[in-house]
Amino acid sequence: MGETAKFSIEGKTIELPIMKGTDGPDVIDIRKLYAESDAFTYDPGFTSTASCESKITFIDGDKGVLLHRGYPIGELAESSNFIEVCYLLLHGELPSAAEYSDFEHTITHHTMLHEQFDRFFQGFRRDAHPMAIMVGAVGALSAFYHDSTDINDPQQRWISAHRLIAKMPTIAARAFKYFQGQPFVHPRNDLSYAENFLRMCFAVPAEDWKPNPVLTRAMDRIFTLHADHEQNASTSTVRLAGSSGANPFACIAAGIACLWGPAHGGANEEALNMLKEIGTVDKIPEFIQGVKDRRYRLMGFGHRVYKNYDPRATVMQKTCHEVLAEVGDSDDPLLKVAMELERIALNDPYFIERKLYPNVDFYSGITLRALGFPPEMFTVLFAVARTVGWIAQWKEMIEDPVYKIGRPRQLYTGAPKRDYVPVDKRG
Ligand code: CMC
């Protein structure tokens, strides 16, 4: 055995192997712990638990580092594009020119939905939150694409991965159009991934959507920034759902449900609502006091893993300025509130002591609003982007020889065994 960790429990010394990754903390392999000690570990929220081995994404939260397959997110956001990042996450390497063009062609030619699928949307109330539609509609893909639900067939796993990445923007745009009360716009194969999505969202029969390179680039960058983030709550949900052998469409629907929460993907919607609620710079001190009194949290701040500036937030802030300048909104009062809020928070001991920095969601809400999206769409856009991360992590799990159904244990603190009491004998 290599390096080990030793500890004793009830007089017995237990020796456990230590696993080493390429980077990041060592991991104590506790798989034999229960058999050898009759004890479980306790870690609600998984703050000290590695749930799997992965080669996809690495985060060093203290240094503010995020790497996809070894490449820093800042470099990818600056020099690559979303489709190339999808290829990288799925395949492990950057594509050659021919591989890129094949992959882009495959994704572009899977964007259409089965004609009958459109009827599915009509079942939702007009005012349904687009995320509610996403949870239902993406799960329903399993009913339309049976020929890619055999998880034991590697070819079907690839087809389902391509279908999900390709069809997600079409479903998201339909959720948006339905919510707006406008007719659906079909995908077009001559447009890029981001252009196609923006057109499906903003074209109307009376007027086609006009491409704007700055806004398209911003949309693509927002997708790139959200593509993967190792074992976050929704990705762990996808892995856990997939560990039972459930089909990939159902697993991604589970991931979308988890992403919806305000502590995760719902934070950008909440962050924008918060900025609107503050409204003007002079209200910030009062708002900060409310955070310190624990009446509410500063949305778009803090992260389970980053105890430093979220590297995605740096790119997001730059993109936000570019988009606002392009749409002629550099004087947006919410941007002023955001910048001043950030300045005050980063100099306040409450936030410094707790290592609370802006995360990716702090500036994404203002940017998405300037692109023309209402807050209800923000988490939907996150889901479109994160689909590639979810599916890459799902594939990695299925292809990992040590993969088994995820089944955590518990510390039971409920009533001890007792006998049933008939209703007339209960006091
Ligand atoms: N505002 C004010 N205080 C905060 C915040 C915040 N946003 N986040 C954490 N804290 C405080 C918290 O009260 C606690 O203080 P104390 O030690 O005095 O009790 C301390 O910081 C640690 O907080 P925690 O809840 O134990 O930390 P966590 O790792 O469980 O939470 C988080 C991470 C992201 C859920 C949390 O920071 C949060 O709620 N942030 C706001 C929501 C948000 O912006 N989420 C988006 C995350 S990035 C996108 C994504 O990955 O989905």
Side-chain angles (χ1 to χ4, degrees):
M1 209 189 292
E3 211 181 315
T4 59
K6 282 191 200 132
F7 76 101
S8 54
I9 177 166
E10 292 181 348
K12 187 179 171 196
T13 300
I14 311 276
E15 197 169 352
L16 297 166
I18 293 183
M19 299 169 76
K20 293 203 176 281
T22 322
D23 208 338
D26 292 346
V27 167
I28 304 167
D29 177 356
I30 60 165
R31 277 175 289 183
K32 300 238 158 60
L33 179 72
Y34 176 46
E36 289 185 14
S37 68
D38 202 26
F40 295 143
T41 54
Y42 180 66
D43 187 16
F46 304 106
T47 52
S48 298
T49 298
S51 61
C52 63
E53 189 184 318
S54 181
K55 293 182 167 53
I56 301 176
T57 292
F58 173 73
I59 302 175
D60 184 332
D62 291 326
K63 295 195 188 125
V65 169
L66 167 61
L67 310 177
H68 291 320
R69 302 288 193 178
Y71 297 102
I73 188 65
E75 288 180 32
L76 293 173
E78 202 56 56
S79 312
S80 181
N81 65 44
F82 182 64
I83 284 291
E84 187 173 67
V85 169
C86 287
Y87 184 98
L88 174 69
L89 290 169
L90 285 166
H91 291 265
E93 296 297 336
L94 288 167
S96 66
E99 285 164 341
Y100 178 85
S101 140
D102 271 5
F103 182 71
E104 190 182 36
H105 183 271
T106 304
I107 298 300
T108 306
H109 288 81
H110 276 94
T111 49
M112 284 183 66
L113 291 166
H114 191 289
E115 183 62 18
Q116 244 186 308
F117 197 89
D118 280 351
R119 291 196 219 147
F120 202 81
F121 292 92
Q122 312 301 328
F124 288 97
R125 280 170 54 138
R126 270 289 173 195
D127 59 354
H129 194 290
M131 275 303 275
I133 300 181
M134 292 300 285
V135 176
V138 173
L141 286 174
S142 347
F144 286 84
Y145 300 99
H146 295 289
D147 59 343
S148 55
T149 52
D150 179 358
I151 65 154
N152 298 312
D153 178 343
Q155 188 55 23
Q156 293 199 28
R157 290 201 293 271
W158 275 118
I159 296 171
S160 63
H162 294 151
R163 281 182 168 152
L164 275 157
I165 296 165
K167 293 183 198 308
M168 198 61 95
T170 316
I171 299 175
R174 275 161 162 60
F176 179 48
K177 285 297 193 190
Y178 190 73
F179 179 70
Q180 301 276 86
Q182 292 180 2
F184 295 157
V185 175
H186 290 288
R188 246 179 49 189
N189 289 352
D190 59 328
L191 300 179
S192 74
Y193 192 86
E195 276 174 338
N196 196 27
F197 177 64
L198 289 172
R199 184 180 166 273
M200 286 192 290
C201 287
F202 297 117
V204 286
E207 197 177 319
D208 203 357
W209 168 84
K210 291 185 195 64
N212 172 319
V214 176
L215 304 189
T216 307
R217 182 78 189 113
M219 187 74 261
D220 191 82
R221 202 171 270 158
I222 290 170
F223 287 151
T224 302
L225 290 179
H226 289 86
D228 191 49
H229 213 223
E230 53 117 307
Q231 309 312 319
N232 58 86
S234 58
T235 302
S236 299
T237 301
V238 170
R239 278 186 178 256
L240 196 55
S243 77
S244 73
N247 76 69
F249 303 109
C251 296
I252 300 302
I256 295 174
C258 177
L259 187 74
W260 197 355
H264 192 3
N268 50 14
E269 186 174 341
E270 295 294 324
L272 186 76
N273 290 339
M274 174 193 79
L275 295 176
K276 280 192 204 152
E277 210 177 297
I278 299 171
T280 47
V281 168
D282 58 302
K283 301 268 168 44
I284 293 175
E286 187 189 330
F287 179 83
I288 294 272
Q289 194 52 50
V291 173
K292 291 182 188 171
D293 296 343
R294 295 171 183 275
R295 280 187 276 132
Y296 37 74
R297 283 189 169 204
L298 178 51
M299 299 311 284
F301 255 70
H303 199 275
R304 168 60 61 78
V305 181
Y306 295 119
K307 302 303 168 198
N308 200 324
Y309 215 94
D310 177 343
R312 301 168 302 171
T314 320
V315 185
M316 199 63 246
Q317 192 195 46
K318 189 170 159 241
T319 306
C320 181
H321 284 287
E322 284 168 12
V323 168
L324 290 181
E326 183 64 20
V327 300
D329 230 353
S330 297
D331 287 334
D332 184 347
L334 292 195
L335 180 64
K336 289 210 176 80
V337 173
M339 286 170 64
E340 183 60 7
L341 192 56
E342 177 183 350
R343 195 192 61 76
I344 293 180
L346 291 179
N347 288 295
D348 189 305
Y350 180 92
F351 296 91
I352 295 170
E353 278 157 25
R354 289 169 181 76
K355 298 189 176 165
L356 299 171
Y357 293 86
N359 59 50
V360 68
D361 287 331
F362 194 64
Y363 285 101
S364 66
I366 309 177
T367 316
L368 293 172
R369 191 176 77 136
L371 285 174
F373 291 106
E376 291 84 352
M377 276 301 286
F378 295 176
T379 319
V380 173
L381 300 173
F382 194 156
V384 171
R386 186 56 58 84
T387 295
V388 62
W390 289 330
I391 202 73
Q393 300 267 354
W394 170 83
K395 258 179 101 286
E396 182 180 59
M397 177 189 72
I398 303 286
E399 289 159 16
D400 185 342
V402 305
Y403 132 71
K404 45 164 69 189
I405 187 166
R407 195 350 181 146
R409 306 305 294 257
Q410 64 171 7
L411 173 68
Y412 177 68
T413 52
K417 181 177 178 297
R418 48 186 166 166
D419 291 326
Y420 178 78
V421 182
V423 69
D424 56 332
K425 303 249 167 44
R426 290 173 210 163

